[in-house]
């Protein structure tokens, strides 16, 4: 077994020697290369393999250590050998043995190849959004009655968005208004693919970590989650505060980069335009619209998240077979027919409805007014379908207002029938046992 291993070792060493010799022959007559650069991975691997074998009577290296540096050939050769040999790893290279002194002399002239930019360091591409449809979509039938029915259902059902939504920071009037606007933006940047409870906890973690110790905190009403403090904070600190939200590593980079841009270009304030907000890393149209509404009080568009996107399609507001594919498409279609006064309230209304009743999985259709053939509601405000403001409106139809009612729900009529049969069987069994 050892004889076979030694024979294989000699064959491999001979093959490696032959490849190196062929490379040296190709480079003869080309002259010594002035700038010595680091070689390719294939050459370094070849050198490692070569050193791992013993070549019999090979000379022992001297006391002065020799540094092996590979240099990439800058000229192409047209020899017959290079035509025959098909090398997919790298262009021909040659090996030079240099002393430590030679290596130190060449180190100053060596310029490392710039590394490829990662996702975090790539320049942000310009974001392009479609602001309106070429031909507006007509308003769906009974949309206002549907909207008022959802308002009625939301009255007695508190949802996480009611206390932990992006509007919450602006209610803390004791805090400087500029800091409140920044906290609103931070909350929205963390909210994507994350529940409101987790987002709220992450924001509170940032506020607590950025606050100095009590002995240095002279003003208990001062806010420390500010642009300058975010700029000075390390990525590791930010990550430790938000590591429960979705894509937290990427969002930590976004927060850091956004704070640097705000400090450099906006004097520590957040932009007061959709275009400026969308130009920040990690900020899309939904975040920009909600920031304009909550931080600046300007109603310029609808903030469409996954809840608004899902529920409006379940309600059939875009027509049968014309469902939207993305939240951005939903926004454009909604804005084409929804009155502007509904742009602001529709987001928290549908988000809370999606968190409590029209959930993504197992929606509670049996508790939803829109799944009934008739229901009675009373709304206040402007007139519209069903009568004047404040008038009691009775909706009677040939079917539920939600075309998706009981589709995929476990609480519909079929489930009730099964439960009823199970109860009847149980009662019969109990009756039999009592008779016995």
């Amino acid at each position: 077994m050892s004889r076979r291993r030694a024979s294989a070792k000699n064959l491999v060493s001979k093959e490696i020697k032959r490849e190196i010799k062929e490379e040296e022959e190709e480079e003869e007559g080309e002259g010594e290369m002035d700038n010595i650069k680091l070689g390719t991975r294939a050459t370094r691997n070849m050198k490692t393999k070569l050193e791992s074998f013993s070549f019999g009577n090979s000379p022992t290296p001297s006391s002065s250590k020799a540094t092996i540096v590979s240099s990439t050939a800058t000229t192409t050769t047209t020899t017959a050998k290079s035509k025959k040999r098909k090398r997919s790893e790298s262009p021909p290279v040659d090996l030079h043995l240099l002393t430590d002194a030679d290596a130190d002399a060449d180190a100053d002239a060596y310029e490392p190849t710039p590394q490829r930019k990662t996702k975090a360091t790539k320049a942000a591409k310009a974001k392009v959004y479609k602001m309106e449809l070429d031909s507006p979509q007509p308003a769906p039938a009974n949309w206002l009655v549907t909207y008022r029915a959802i308002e009625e259902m939301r009255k007695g059902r508190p949802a996480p968005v009611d206390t932990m939504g992006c509007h919450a920071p602006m209610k803390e009037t004791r805090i400087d208004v500029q800091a409140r606007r920044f906290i609103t933006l931070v909350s929205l940047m963390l909210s994507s693919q994350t529940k409101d409870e987790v987002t709220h906890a992450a924001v509170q973690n940032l506020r607590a970590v950025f606050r100095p110790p009590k002995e240095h905190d002279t003003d208990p009403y001062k806010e420390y989650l500010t642009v300058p403090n975010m700029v000075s904070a390390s990525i590791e600190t930010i990550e430790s505060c938000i590591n429960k939200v979705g894509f937290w590593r990427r969002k930590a980079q976004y927060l850091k980069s956004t704070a640097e841009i705000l400090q450099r270009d906006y004097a520590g304030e957040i932009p007061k335009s959709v275009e400026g907000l969308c130009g920040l890393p990690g900020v899309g149209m939904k975040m920009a619209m909600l920031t304009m509404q909550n931080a600046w009080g300007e109603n310029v568009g609808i903030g469409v998240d996954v809840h608004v996107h899902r529920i409006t399609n379940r309600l059939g507001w875009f027509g049968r077979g014309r469902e939207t594919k993305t939240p951005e498409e939903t926004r454009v279609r909604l804005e084409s027919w929804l009155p502007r006064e509904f742009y602001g309230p529709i987001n928290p209304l549908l988000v809370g409805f999606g968190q409590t009743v029209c959930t993504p999985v197992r929606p509670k259709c049996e508790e939803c007014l829109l799944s009934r053939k008739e229901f009675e509601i009373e709304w206040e405000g402007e007139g519209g379908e069903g009568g004047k403001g404040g008038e009691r409106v009775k909706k009677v139809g040939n079917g539920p207002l939600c075309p998706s009612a009981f589709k995929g729900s476990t609480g519909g009529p079929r489930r009730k029938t099964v439960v009823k049969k199970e109860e009847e069987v149980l009662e019969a069994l109990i009756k039999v046992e009592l008779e016995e």
Side-chain angles (χ1 to χ4, degrees):
M1 191 69 182
S2 60
R3 188 174 298 175
R4 287 184 181 180
R5 188 175 298 174
S7 177
K9 203 177 215 183
N10 291 333
L11 287 174
V12 174
S13 62
K14 287 179 181 180
E15 182 65 21
I16 295 174
K17 281 184 177 181
R18 185 183 63 78
E19 290 184 9
I20 296 175
K21 187 176 180 181
E22 288 177 354
E23 290 178 354
E24 290 176 349
E25 289 176 355
E26 288 180 0
E27 296 301 320
E28 283 183 358
E30 297 294 335
E32 295 183 357
M33 302 184 66
D34 296 329
N35 296 325
I36 299 177
K37 299 180 180 179
L38 290 178
T40 61
R41 184 182 298 176
T43 305
R44 290 195 295 273
N45 291 342
M46 187 186 297
K47 170 239 175 181
T48 305
K49 291 179 182 178
L50 186 61
E51 290 179 341
S52 64
F53 296 104
S54 61
F55 298 130
N57 297 326
S58 58
T60 305
S62 59
S63 59
S64 62
K65 296 180 181 179
T67 306
I68 297 182
V69 182
S70 59
S71 60
T72 306
T74 57
T75 59
T76 59
T77 60
T78 57
T79 61
K81 292 181 180 179
S82 63
K83 289 181 180 179
K84 291 180 181 179
R85 186 169 65 248
K86 295 180 180 179
R87 304 184 62 87
S88 59
E89 305 87 31
S90 63
V93 295
D94 68 338
L95 298 176
H96 299 273
L97 288 176
L98 303 176
T99 62
D100 288 338
D102 294 330
D104 292 338
D106 289 329
D108 296 333
Y110 168 68
E111 295 180 2
T113 305
Q115 296 181 353
R116 185 179 64 182
K117 291 183 179 180
T118 61
K119 291 182 179 179
T121 59
K122 285 183 180 178
K125 295 181 179 179
K127 304 170 188 175
V128 181
Y129 296 97
K130 188 174 182 179
M131 298 307 296
E132 60 183 14
L133 291 176
D134 297 332
S135 57
Q137 173 188 322
N142 298 319
W143 73 267
L144 187 56
V145 175
T146 301
Y147 188 94
R148 297 306 183 192
I150 295 174
E151 281 185 330
E152 185 72 20
M153 288 184 282
R154 287 278 285 114
K155 286 180 180 178
R157 294 176 180 270
V161 69
D162 297 335
T163 56
M164 304 178 190
C166 59
H167 63 282
M170 296 304 296
K171 293 184 177 181
E172 300 185 46
T173 54
R174 63 180 180 83
I175 302 175
D176 177 68
V177 66
Q178 183 172 333
R180 277 185 277 162
R181 284 194 281 262
F182 180 63
I183 296 173
T184 301
L185 178 60
V186 170
S187 176
L188 284 165
M189 291 178 69
L190 296 177
S191 65
S192 61
Q193 304 296 320
T194 307
K195 292 183 178 180
D196 286 338
E197 301 92 328
V198 180
T199 300
H200 179 74
V203 173
Q204 297 306 313
N205 288 342
L206 287 169
R207 297 176 72 173
V209 169
F210 283 15
R211 180 171 290 279
K214 290 184 178 180
E215 56 269 20
H216 302 291
D217 188 7
T218 57
D219 186 0
Y221 295 104
K222 184 177 180 180
E223 179 56 47
Y224 291 91
L225 180 50
T226 59
V227 171
N229 289 344
M230 184 69 76
V231 171
S232 60
S234 65
I235 289 292
E236 292 75 14
T237 300
I238 300 173
E239 288 180 344
S240 66
C241 295
I242 67 170
N243 57 12
K244 301 298 181 183
V245 306
F247 306 103
W248 53 276
R249 286 192 177 89
R250 187 182 303 173
K251 290 178 181 179
Q253 295 284 348
Y254 287 158
L255 289 177
K256 182 80 170 177
S257 301
T258 294
E260 292 171 352
I261 293 172
L262 296 181
Q263 189 174 56
R264 184 184 68 239
D265 300 337
Y266 296 94
E269 186 59 274
I270 67 172
K272 198 178 180 180
S273 67
V274 173
E275 295 77 12
L277 289 167
C278 288
L280 300 174
V283 178
M285 184 60 73
K286 179 204 80 172
M287 300 178 195
M289 293 299 185
L290 293 176
T291 301
M292 292 297 296
Q293 291 170 3
N294 293 281
W296 293 109
E298 295 190 9
N299 191 16
V300 295
I302 303 173
V304 177
D305 64 354
V306 291
H307 291 288
V308 179
H309 172 65
R310 179 184 71 256
I311 294 170
T312 51
N313 277 282
R314 280 183 178 176
L315 295 174
W317 279 3
F318 306 117
R320 190 171 185 178
R322 300 183 60 202
E323 292 81 5
T324 56
K325 305 299 182 184
T326 62
E328 185 56 23
E329 184 183 355
T330 300
R331 179 190 66 80
V332 177
R333 299 271 290 275
L334 271 178
E335 290 177 355
S336 69
W337 59 265
L338 189 69
R340 185 171 287 272
E341 60 265 24
F342 292 91
Y343 282 12
I346 192 173
N347 178 273
L349 177 72
L350 294 188
V351 169
F353 184 59
Q355 291 174 340
T356 56
V357 179
C358 196
T359 52
V361 181
R362 298 185 181 89
K364 303 172 183 177
C365 297
E366 71 281 1
E367 302 178 16
C368 181
L369 295 176
L370 304 177
S371 64
R372 302 176 185 176
K373 289 187 176 181
E374 62 179 51
F375 59 88
E376 192 172 301
I377 60 172
E378 180 179 356
W379 73 58
E380 299 177 359
E382 69 284 349
E385 298 182 28
K388 298 179 181 179
E391 180 182 349
R392 178 171 287 275
V393 179
K394 185 176 181 180
K395 167 62 186 171
V396 180
N398 296 326
L401 286 178
C402 179
S404 305
F406 296 112
K407 293 182 180 179
S409 172
T410 58
R414 185 176 301 175
R415 174 61 180 163
K416 291 180 179 179
T417 303
V418 173
V419 173
K420 187 176 181 180
K421 288 183 178 180
E422 290 176 352
E423 291 175 350
E424 291 175 355
V425 172
L426 184 60
E427 289 177 0
L429 290 174
I430 294 174
K431 187 177 181 181
V432 170
E433 289 179 358
L434 290 175
E435 290 177 353
E436 292 178 354

